[in-house]
Amino acid sequence: MKKLSENEIQNKLENFKGWTYAKNAIHTSFQFENFKEAFTVMTRIAFEAEAQQHHPNWGNVYNQLEISLSTHDADGVTEKDFKLARAIEEIVDPSN
């Protein structure tokens, strides 16, 4: 998979509210009502990530979830990252 240029990444991020680009990855965070809700969403994302064979770097503290996506094989951000980011957005807020 081809690594995207910073310009390509910034253009694509215009369609992703709350996502930023830094350190060769795209990043976002979510806040949920409680730990149970955050963990439930993480589980749903985990199933999707496994289906796509593309796994996020993420962290969770109580009701906060932080996610970073990059394609290690390409040493940067690729279309694969944006595909998973879109799926994450749909899991977190199905009305998107």
Side-chain angles (χ1 to χ4, degrees), residues 5-92:
S5 71
E6 187 167 348
N7 251 1
E8 290 171 313
I9 294 165
Q10 293 299 343
N11 286 338
K12 288 183 172 294
L13 283 176
E14 291 177 10
N15 298 313
F16 289 84
K17 183 180 175 190
W19 289 79
T20 59
Y21 172 69
K23 299 181 182 177
N24 271 339
I26 55 175
H27 311 272
T28 195
S29 62
F30 299 101
Q31 184 172 345
F32 300 95
E33 189 171 321
N34 53 46
F35 175 76
K36 183 179 174 182
E37 186 179 332
F39 193 81
T40 298
V41 169
M42 288 179 73
T43 302
R44 293 182 62 213
I45 292 169
F47 278 98
E48 179 62 29
E50 189 64 18
Q52 290 189 27
Q53 288 296 298
H54 191 50
H55 305 93
N57 291 326
W58 59 5
N60 164 248
V61 176
Y62 182 56
N63 66 340
Q64 291 284 127
L65 173 59
E66 294 185 8
I67 301 173
S68 295
L69 301 175
S70 67
T71 304
H72 301 288
D73 294 345
D75 194 32
V77 177
T78 67
E79 290 292 343
K80 218 173 174 179
D81 300 300
F82 282 99
K83 180 180 178 189
L84 183 54
R86 178 61 59 211
I88 289 168
E89 288 292 318
E90 290 172 5
I91 289 168
V92 172

